[in-house]
Amino acid sequence: MARFSINILGCGSATPSLRHLPACQVIDFRDNLMMIDCGEGAQLSMRRMKLKFSRLNHIFISHLHGDHVLGLPGLLSTLALHGKTGTVTVHTFPEGIEILKKVVDFFCREPEYDIVFQPVDPAGGVVYEDHAIKVTAFPLYHRVPCVGYIFAEKPKPRHLIGEMVKFYNVPINKLHGLKTGEDFVTPDGKVIPNSRLTTPADPSMSYAYCSDTIFDHRVAEAIKGVDVVYHEATYIDADAQKAHDRGHSTASEAARIAIEAGAKKLILGHYSKSYPDESRHLAEAQLIFPETILANEGLTIDLL
Amino acid sequence: MARFSINILGCGSATPSLRHLPACQVIDFRDNLMMIDCGEGAQLSMRRMKLKFSRLNHIFISHLHGDHVLGLPGLLSTLALHGKTGTVTVHTFPEGIEILKKVVDFFCREPEYDIVFQPVDPAGGVVYEDHAIKVTAFPLYHRVPCVGYIFAEKPKPRHLIGEMVKFYNVPINKLHGLKTGEDFVTPDGKVIPNSRLTTPADPSMSYAYCSDTIFDHRVAEAIKGVDVVYHEATYIDADAQKAHDRGHSTASEAARIAIEAGAKKLILGHYSKSYPDESRHLAEAQLIFPETILANEGLTIDLL
């Protein structure tokens, strides 16, 4: 079972269609679910993908357009009806908190769980952090204030080499230090380098979510070094002018961001309804960045 | 093509599931669409059933629980993005208007069409009327204020018997009177009874929507004489206590209402998610009222 995966619940734009639902993804990080954007129908897609309501703890909203938010009242009210306990934290801009609180207070009376609204600064910054992951917002460049989010797994412990630890008689209270990369000093002052006692930690993965935005080098700069990038690709090259006029990107622009950021994989999404399918998006992006895939409802991408 | 039909977009209860969507129906009356309740996903179901956004003019809300309302912000905002013109009138209780206006103002900026909120009196009364149809609200008996709606086609003109009209030399300006049932008086004062000049009008059909409500004889009284009744049937007989505790009905109670009202056909809906299917609902209702059918997403019932 993957320990860090991205579930695509919706990858359309503007309005739900029979081909694509509005924006919604769920990060499954070590069995904790974190949602990014919450278009109408998000709760039903969670059921469809067997993502448990009980495990949902955080919802990060990129911006306050309906196709990224309007699934929230229904989802939060369903959680209440399903006896959800604990806390769900909704991260969004202050002006969104104001209106969403009113709706939730009206339609979601007396839930057994706590709904916490956490303001997000459109200029970006750390929005959530625990011992294993850090979530950072960064500005995107759309018609209205908009942020992307980076989900970065924290460094993991190095693996102890059992027989070497035994050979050097390392006491238990020194093991934690070894895992973080410290050398071991024997009672008689001899330094045993960490590399003789441990093997490298498993890689820490990171994921960047970029929707909605016009093509902008500052986005590549902000997400530099992430492993996997989701970048909106509303249009194809032939409609580049439309993309720019409406604060969106083409698939090949998404690919250029992925290259600039040094990413290993690119996921395209937020497709305009004006195309019969997304084969052109994929072809145009892969010409620039071969490690491109298309988001689609129901798709799960395992990072680990 | 039917001139008066009921389209079932959602007939589940409480929360959307993989089997049923929350409450929503669309009346297609002579190519004008009128929605009743608007659960999450209503806009997508309209697309699925090929019901045109451009023809939607009225939305009648039964009560202010999320599963009957939360599709509204997304629907109204999608109408704006689709260049809808004209007016959409949302009929609901004053406290709903207050919160819905705030949401619509926030997420649905500068639509090209007018969104009018029309207050509904929980005690009932005529909520809409034109030359061909009258829509009347009446109280239901749920945990919160709730109304049902009757859609009653107005009487239609009688059919002229062409050869008799000619035989009696009825002047053109008297024809309208004949169609409404007037007798014809010849220039020399002879009275020709209407029945010799016309045949009866086509029947005028009526439909009553009853969701959500506990079993109550006053409902049957309010809808007396309607042709087709939709009545909630959240539970089966074995769960009658649950139904009563939660302000809902069983399928056989729905059947008793249909009989008392003198209806010709009963449509069941608003099913609880606790059953694997609705075969028991149907069987229990048909024992009492054979002309019962099950609502299901995608079903269209032609009244005319």
Side-chain angles (χ1 to χ4, degrees):
Chain A
M1 170 118 182
R3 306 209 61 207
F4 189 175
S5 62
I6 318 297
N7 297 278
I8 309 291
L9 281 67
C11 56
S13 69
T15 66
S17 74
L18 298 182
R19 294 191 55 247
H20 291 297
L21 297 173
C24 184
Q25 300 189 1
V26 171
I27 310 283
D28 186 342
F29 184 73
R30 304 183 193 179
D31 287 343
N32 289 304
L33 302 185
M34 295 179 283
M35 184 178 277
I36 324 173
D37 282 337
C38 187
E40 184 174 351
Q43 58 166 315
L44 196 52
S45 299
M46 280 192 76
R47 286 187 197 268
R48 211 175 277 127
M49 292 189 77
K50 300 190 194 310
L51 297 164
K52 288 192 183 153
F53 292 142
S54 58
R55 288 165 47 201
L56 180 65
N57 299 316
H58 290 273
I59 302 172
F60 302 94
I61 301 295
S62 67
H63 65 300
L64 297 165
H65 278 163
D67 57 324
H68 294 251
V69 185
L70 288 175
L72 204 51
L75 172 63
L76 295 177
S77 121
T78 288
L79 292 179
L81 292 169
H82 278 257
K84 162 91 180 166
T85 54
T87 300
V88 171
T89 306
V90 179
H91 304 260
T92 187
F93 300 145
E95 65 168 324
I97 292 177
E98 198 180 321
I99 182 78
L100 288 170
K101 263 182 80 75
K102 280 183 187 134
V103 177
V104 167
D105 287 348
F106 191 91
F107 287 108
C108 186
R109 289 175 186 175
E110 299 174 25
E112 285 174 48
Y113 71 107
D114 291 316
I115 304 174
V116 173
F117 286 94
Q118 194 68 37
V120 171
D121 184 345
V126 175
V127 288
Y128 175 71
E129 185 166 15
D130 63 25
H131 69 286
I133 198 166
K134 183 154 91 169
V135 185
T136 312
F138 59 93
L140 293 174
Y141 305 95
H142 193 41
R143 303 192 303 272
V144 296
C146 186
V147 291
Y149 292 100
I150 297 170
F151 297 77
E153 196 179 24
K154 292 194 173 174
K156 295 173 192 166
R158 296 177 66 87
H159 298 284
L160 300 175
I161 306 172
E163 57 197 37
M164 296 307 282
V165 167
K166 201 170 169 189
F167 178 83
Y168 286 105
N169 280 316
V170 182
I172 287 177
N173 65 4
K174 295 289 178 190
L175 294 182
H176 178 74
L178 292 191
K179 289 181 185 172
T180 63
E182 288 173 10
D183 295 334
F184 173 57
V185 184
T186 61
D188 54 358
K190 196 174 162 194
V191 175
I192 314 296
N194 186 282
S195 60
R196 290 182 67 177
L197 294 156
T198 69
T199 54
D202 294 332
S204 291
M205 298 297 288
S206 56
Y207 172 66
Y209 173 88
C210 313
S211 179
D212 303 11
T213 190
I214 200 166
F215 173 72
D216 195 301
H217 298 287
R218 289 170 291 179
V219 173
E221 199 55 46
I223 65 172
K224 204 144 203 117
V226 294
D227 295 289
V228 178
V229 177
Y230 171 89
H231 195 288
E232 75 128 290
T234 313
Y235 295 101
I236 59 173
D237 284 343
D239 297 318
Q241 192 56 51
K242 259 190 211 165
H244 303 163
D245 292 348
R246 299 179 186 178
H248 288 300
S249 302
T250 63
S252 58
E253 288 171 339
R256 286 163 60 193
I257 294 291
I259 285 191
E260 274 189 49
K264 301 190 184 88
K265 186 183 262 195
L266 168 65
I267 308 165
L268 300 180
H270 202 265
Y271 316 119
S272 160
K273 256 179 294 300
S274 51
Y275 309 106
D277 62 49
E278 287 82 36
S279 52
R280 287 291 298 276
H281 295 70
L282 184 62
E284 291 180 358
Q286 283 185 335
L287 266 182
I288 295 168
F289 188 76
E291 289 304 313
T292 302
I293 62 169
L294 291 173
N296 206 2
E297 282 73 13
L299 179 68
T300 299
I301 300 124
D302 294 336
L303 270 64
L304 277 179
Chain B
M1 171 120 181
R3 306 210 62 207
F4 189 174
S5 63
I6 319 296
N7 297 278
I8 309 291
L9 281 67
C11 57
S13 70
T15 66
S17 74
L18 298 181
R19 294 191 56 245
H20 291 299
L21 296 174
C24 184
Q25 299 188 3
V26 171
I27 310 284
D28 184 345
F29 184 74
R30 303 183 193 179
D31 286 343
N32 290 305
L33 302 184
M34 294 178 284
M35 184 178 277
I36 325 173
D37 283 337
C38 188
E40 184 175 350
Q43 57 166 316
L44 195 53
S45 300
M46 281 191 75
R47 285 186 198 265
R48 212 175 275 127
M49 293 190 76
K50 300 189 194 310
L51 296 164
K52 288 191 183 156
F53 291 142
S54 57
R55 288 165 47 202
L56 180 65
N57 299 316
H58 290 273
I59 302 172
F60 301 94
I61 302 295
S62 66
H63 65 300
L64 296 165
H65 276 162
D67 56 324
H68 294 250
V69 185
L70 288 176
L72 203 51
L75 172 63
L76 295 177
S77 122
T78 287
L79 292 179
L81 291 170
H82 278 257
K84 162 94 179 164
T85 53
T87 300
V88 171
T89 306
V90 178
H91 305 260
T92 188
F93 301 145
E95 65 167 325
I97 292 177
E98 199 180 320
I99 181 78
L100 288 170
K101 263 182 80 75
K102 281 183 188 134
V103 177
V104 167
D105 287 348
F106 192 90
F107 287 108
C108 185
R109 289 175 185 176
E110 301 174 24
E112 284 175 48
Y113 71 107
D114 291 316
I115 303 173
V116 173
F117 286 93
Q118 194 67 38
V120 172
D121 184 345
V126 174
V127 288
Y128 174 72
E129 185 166 16
D130 62 25
H131 69 285
I133 198 165
K134 183 154 89 169
V135 185
T136 312
F138 59 95
L140 294 174
Y141 305 94
H142 192 42
R143 304 192 303 272
V144 296
C146 187
V147 291
Y149 292 99
I150 297 170
F151 297 78
E153 197 178 24
K154 293 195 172 171
K156 296 173 192 167
R158 295 178 66 86
H159 299 283
L160 300 175
I161 305 172
E163 58 195 35
M164 297 306 282
V165 167
K166 201 168 168 190
F167 179 83
Y168 285 107
N169 279 319
V170 183
I172 287 176
N173 65 5
K174 295 287 178 190
L175 294 182
H176 179 74
L178 291 192
K179 289 181 184 173
T180 64
E182 288 173 11
D183 294 334
F184 174 58
V185 185
T186 62
D188 53 359
K190 195 173 165 195
V191 174
I192 315 297
N194 186 282
S195 60
R196 290 183 64 179
L197 295 156
T198 68
T199 55
D202 295 331
S204 291
M205 298 297 288
S206 56
Y207 172 66
Y209 173 88
C210 313
S211 178
D212 304 8
T213 189
I214 201 165
F215 173 74
D216 194 301
H217 298 287
R218 288 171 292 180
V219 173
E221 199 55 46
I223 65 172
K224 204 147 204 118
V226 295
D227 296 289
V228 177
V229 178
Y230 170 89
H231 195 288
E232 75 129 288
T234 312
Y235 295 100
I236 59 173
D237 284 344
D239 297 317
Q241 192 56 50
K242 257 189 212 166
H244 303 162
D245 292 346
R246 300 178 186 180
H248 288 299
S249 303
T250 64
S252 58
E253 287 171 339
R256 286 163 61 193
I257 293 291
I259 286 190
E260 274 189 50
K264 301 192 184 86
K265 186 184 264 196
L266 168 65
I267 308 165
L268 301 181
H270 203 263
Y271 317 119
S272 160
K273 255 177 296 299
S274 51
Y275 309 106
D277 62 50
E278 288 80 37
S279 53
R280 287 289 300 275
H281 296 71
L282 184 62
E284 290 179 0
Q286 283 185 334
L287 266 183
I288 294 168
F289 187 77
E291 289 304 312
T292 302
I293 62 168
L294 291 173
N296 206 1
E297 282 74 11
L299 180 69
T300 299
I301 300 124
D302 293 337
L303 272 65
L304 277 179

